[in-house]
Amino acid sequence: MPPTEVDVQQLAGRDHHGFGRRIKYLAEECVPWVEPVTGLALPERLVIRLLDRTALRQTIMDDQERLVAVALAEATGDHDVDKVIKLNRAIASVSSRIAFWVAGGITYTTAAGDPEIMITPGTWRHIGQYRDDDALMAMLSHELVHPAQFHASEGRLPVIDTGPLGKDLGIADRQIKTVGEGHATYFGARIATKVLGGNPVLWIKGRRYRRSLRYKLIGGTISRLPMSKKAANAYNSGAWFTAHVLDGLGELPALDQRAFNGLWARRDLFPDADEIREPDTWLKRVTPELTPTAAPPQPR
């Protein structure tokens, strides 16, 4: 396959052109390592959009509307379409407002089904890491795994996996987001280490950042909410699950990484909440179903 082209579209205002050039440079450093490390290929072209706060919110709203429409088309049950759309629009309205304060990068899919990454430079200014390339590398190495996951899913991810629609699709009890974020956390650290010679997540933990007053008032409050703590725990438990399965930390042998990658196209095989806590139980259920894919190539 040809090398993945990284197209950074700087749409956040003229103050952020330098930030955009740094994002492109860091992304191009990471991209050649994504497939060798994860075994998952990126699409031939990857768009990273730098957006302002308003555009971020609208993109999240549009993305959720598309996901709901796709789920409704796939669902077989009798749903009150207007009610489902209204409910998910209300949820997206809240989550899109929160995202600016807590999300350094977000991966979504376009109307054409192409995975893209969006970043708001304003967020990085508020948290005081706008000029910290180690922090940006930690974010990008994680976020670049998601387009590879979506690409491997052949259009099955992302998906609405909660509420009545998730139940209708048979995936309401599947921990898809937990595994997706945990897998990206596990491999993102490895990608960054290949590029930098060490894990930037560990480096930035001891640094002091000058955060804005607005971030301290708004972002700090949001980070202390139960839902934020639950989301953070999902990243940690998903990374622990991935490590347990791929590194053979339990009683059963490690699952071949190529076999694990068959999971992205099989939503029915994702673990439930109990299996996240007991990965060996999940391995017993799914190992006969997962077929290894081709071995990953070396960096281009």
Side-chain angles (χ1 to χ4, degrees):
M1 290 183 63
T4 296
E5 174 194 356
V6 178
D7 180 8
V8 175
Q9 300 181 5
Q10 206 292 93
L11 308 172
R14 61 184 181 182
D15 291 344
H16 303 296
H17 291 314
F19 184 86
R21 288 190 291 271
R22 285 164 52 223
I23 289 293
K24 182 175 177 64
Y25 171 77
L26 294 171
E28 288 179 339
E29 289 288 294
C30 283
V31 159
W33 286 104
V34 172
E35 191 172 353
V37 172
T38 68
L40 299 172
L42 285 166
E44 292 184 7
R45 178 172 175 266
L46 179 63
V47 174
I48 301 177
R49 299 184 191 276
L50 306 190
L51 305 176
D52 62 21
R53 187 175 176 180
T54 301
L56 171 77
R57 183 167 183 251
Q58 189 59 55
T59 303
I60 292 174
M61 296 281 288
D62 293 344
D63 180 50
Q64 286 301 302
E65 285 195 9
R66 283 194 297 272
L67 291 179
V68 169
V70 170
L72 283 169
E74 188 178 341
T76 57
D78 184 17
H79 296 277
D80 185 332
V81 175
D82 290 338
K83 184 178 179 180
V84 169
I85 291 175
K86 190 176 294 185
L87 174 61
N88 280 277
R89 187 174 292 156
I91 294 172
S93 178
V94 174
S95 64
S96 64
R97 293 175 188 274
I98 292 174
F100 177 79
W101 298 104
V102 300
I106 299 174
T107 303
Y108 68 105
T109 50
T110 66
D114 300 318
E116 295 185 354
I117 297 171
M118 54 182 165
I119 300 169
T120 44
T123 301
W124 290 88
R125 275 191 169 166
H126 277 293
I127 64 178
Q129 296 178 331
Y130 186 84
R131 302 187 184 282
D132 190 332
D133 284 357
D134 291 337
L136 293 174
M137 178 65 83
M139 176 273 294
L140 282 168
S141 60
H142 172 104
E143 214 60 41
L144 284 165
V145 178
H146 291 313
Q149 294 168 350
F150 295 171
H151 190 56
S153 78
E154 300 175 352
R156 295 175 180 85
L157 296 177
V159 65
I160 297 291
D161 58 355
T162 58
L165 283 176
K167 186 176 182 180
D168 188 330
L169 297 177
I171 54 176
D173 62 339
R174 300 297 161 197
Q175 301 295 300
I176 295 175
K177 183 173 179 60
T178 297
V179 174
E181 295 296 355
H183 176 267
T185 299
Y186 175 90
F187 280 110
R190 284 155 177 75
I191 292 168
T193 298
K194 289 289 187 182
V195 177
L196 300 176
N199 185 355
V201 174
L202 301 178
W203 299 343
I204 64 178
K205 280 185 177 181
R207 295 177 185 171
R208 293 181 178 272
Y209 294 102
R210 188 174 181 180
R211 308 189 191 282
S212 72
L213 179 59
R214 291 181 69 191
Y215 177 81
K216 291 176 182 177
L217 293 174
I218 302 173
T221 299
I222 291 171
S223 67
R224 290 190 293 270
L225 294 175
M227 65 175 183
S228 297
K229 293 179 179 179
K230 182 179 180 181
N233 288 337
Y235 281 66
N236 294 332
S237 60
W240 176 84
F241 172 85
T242 305
H244 189 108
V245 168
L246 293 179
D247 295 340
L249 302 182
E251 296 180 0
L252 298 181
L255 182 66
D256 186 280
Q257 182 177 321
R258 294 169 298 163
F260 185 93
N261 285 340
L263 180 64
W264 306 110
R266 291 287 307 273
R267 297 185 313 213
D268 58 308
L269 295 184
F270 274 82
D272 60 24
D274 290 335
E275 290 171 332
I276 284 285
R277 292 187 292 269
E278 299 289 341
D280 283 350
T281 304
W282 178 77
L283 283 170
K284 291 175 183 176
R285 177 171 71 89
V286 305
T287 298
E289 298 282 342
L290 293 174
T291 303
T293 58
Q298 291 306 302
R300 305 180 184 96

